[in-house]
Amino acid sequence: MRLLLVEDDSMIGETVLGVLRGEHYAVDWVRDASLADTALGHEHYDLLLLDLGLPGRDGLDLLRSLRTQHVTTPVLVATARDAVGDRVAGLDAGADDYIVKPYDTDELLARIRALLR
């Protein structure tokens, strides 16, 4: 399974990358929405793990754009935005699931497995 991790925080990105690769996922990691757009245009991904608070262009904007383009890749939003309104906005924008940072990596992996089923 090939995953795209979109995360601007180096410490979180390195940790999640290590966890996912430890579970034998092929993972590409980009740090902003522009690079995510480029990666999605060149590779097929089975899942997108998306932070919302990205530099330059917000992850929610990227998500809306993908869904407008009829990209059906499952999207798991992983963000610090924890208000109910934020979660609703993320799901309404097209996220398939939403997890709030800090999260337990076992829960993250379980949500990824569920979306990949």
Side-chain angles (χ1 to χ4, degrees):
M1 293 282 151
R2 188 169 194 85
L3 282 60
L4 179 61
L5 171 61
V6 185
E7 172 62 61
D8 65 315
D9 183 284
S10 296
M11 188 168 31
I12 294 171
E14 289 173 11
T15 300
V16 173
L17 186 67
V19 167
L20 294 175
R21 286 185 174 163
E23 294 294 314
H24 307 291
Y25 292 110
V27 185
D28 292 333
W29 174 25
V30 296
R31 296 174 188 227
D32 64 44
S34 175
L35 292 172
D37 262 337
T38 300
L40 289 162
H42 291 96
E43 294 289 335
H44 167 77
Y45 292 97
D46 299 294
L47 184 132
L48 174 62
L49 183 58
L50 178 64
D51 183 20
L52 297 183
L54 299 171
R57 181 176 170 205
D58 190 71
L60 199 57
D61 181 53
L62 171 64
L63 177 57
R64 285 187 187 112
S65 175
L66 293 173
R67 295 311 189 213
T68 298
Q69 297 170 42
H70 305 289
V71 174
T72 59
T73 303
V75 175
L76 172 53
V77 168
T79 184
R81 296 180 189 173
D82 63 348
V84 172
D86 292 323
R87 289 179 277 170
V88 169
L91 293 166
D92 283 348
D96 297 283
D97 199 359
Y98 194 107
I99 190 169
V100 176
K101 297 175 186 175
Y103 47 77
D104 183 87
T105 55
D106 287 335
E107 180 182 1
L108 176 69
L109 290 170
R111 288 173 182 265
I112 289 170
R113 288 190 301 270
L115 288 171
L116 292 173
R117 279 197 280 266

